[in-house]
Amino acid sequence: MALIGKDILYAAELLKTGQLVAIPTETVYGLAANALDPLAIASVFEVKKRPFFDPLIVHTFSLEKARDYVNAIPAPLLKLAQHFWPGPLTLLLPKKELIPDLVTSGSSKVAIRVPAHELALKLLKAVDFPLAAPSANPFGYISPTQPEHVARQLGKEINYILDGGACEVGLESTIVGLEGDTICIYRLGGLPREAIEALSGNVELRLNVSGDPKAPGQLTSHYAPAKPLLIGDVGQLLKANPGKKTAVLSFGKKEFSEKIDLQLCLSETGNMKEAAANLFSALRQLDESA
Ligand code: TXA
Ligand code: MG
């Protein structure tokens, strides 16, 4: 069973010998490996049960360091990096040869980000390679926002979980790239679209994809709990599903007249950031409830 602790040097040692370590970031916990070591990368896919066509995000500790791994940073993306790194922003950039094709699933672009988490940054500085890290959940399941979430799901397959507490943002990074002169968002996430538009003007959303290996992470089923999850008006949903045990996850504090077995609320005051930080752990709590 994986140890949970705050020992950065131990985590660095494991990573140096090709092993996997779960690491905290401000978005979600990642399952990290040496991004320059194809064998270590292969075990990430194996442990996560992730198809090889779904590429990994590479993490490093600064914009300057990122230049070691990419051939260019086009001006519009550089501006975003300067403004939002460290933070929940991932940029798709032309990769240098030293980034293995396995990391990018054969694409000439690598997804790079600098996480805004003190422990993650310390670890990234303690090793002399970048870390490839997908979210530390089995493929398709809810992402982990606390060390215990990782322990419950991947604890048997890895040795160490670096404990950085609960993730502050709680949603994955926003993935952004450039098509011609247009800034495109491929995955909505912790950095709001509005924040990008306030800095850089209009952006386009490219979220359409399902099962297309060339596109990032937008498969039909993703972040999915094991129990059926229905979204909509609670009264109508209950009517349409009579006799079922029911839990409700609401955004703000809400009273319902219907009988509900369990109710959770993402933010009593309707605060969007608080709601985002609570979303995955609330889904998990519901999934694990009897
Ligand atoms: O917040 C995050 O981004 C977290 C933390 C750990 O950094 N990581 C994360 O990784 O969410 P993951 O693997 O669960 O999702 C990364 C998504 C994938 O769905 C993948 O398709 C896309 O990023 N991606 C990665 N590399 C790419 C590339 N070279 N081209 C296009 N999409 C890429
Ligand atoms: Mg994921």
Side-chain angles (χ1 to χ4, degrees), residues 48 50 135 137 143 172 187 222-223:
K48 245 194 95 107
R50 181 182 180 112
S135 49
N137 51 299
S143 300
E172 276 91 343
R187 178 178 73 180
H222 210 214
Y223 314 139

Side-chain angles (χ1 to χ4, degrees), residues 198-219:
L199 184 75
S200 301
N202 251 4
V203 304
E204 283 188 23
L205 293 188
R206 297 263 194 281
L207 311 174
N208 42 348
V209 199
S210 191
D212 178 348
K214 287 187 292 301
Q218 301 290 332
L219 298 176

Side-chain angles (χ1 to χ4, degrees), residues 200-254:
S200 301
N202 251 4
V203 304
E204 283 188 23
L205 293 188
R206 297 263 194 281
L207 311 174
N208 42 348
V209 199
S210 191
D212 178 348
K214 287 187 292 301
Q218 301 290 332
L219 298 176
T220 315
S221 179
H222 210 214
Y223 314 139
K227 288 180 181 160
L229 170 69
L230 307 174
I231 300 173
D233 179 83
V234 171
Q236 284 175 13
L237 290 174
L238 285 172
K239 242 184 241 150
N241 296 275
K244 296 256 160 62
K245 203 164 181 191
T246 314
V248 168
L249 177 60
S250 60
F251 175 58
K253 204 170 160 67
K254 276 215 175 87

Side-chain angles (χ1 to χ4, degrees), residues 59-88:
H59 301 70
T60 187
F61 57 82
S62 72
L63 171 57
E64 280 323 300
K65 194 65 191 168
R67 292 184 189 278
D68 287 357
Y69 312 119
V70 302
N71 282 323
I73 308 182
L77 299 185
L78 179 62
K79 190 170 163 190
L80 293 178
Q82 286 167 333
H83 205 81
F84 295 115
W85 276 355

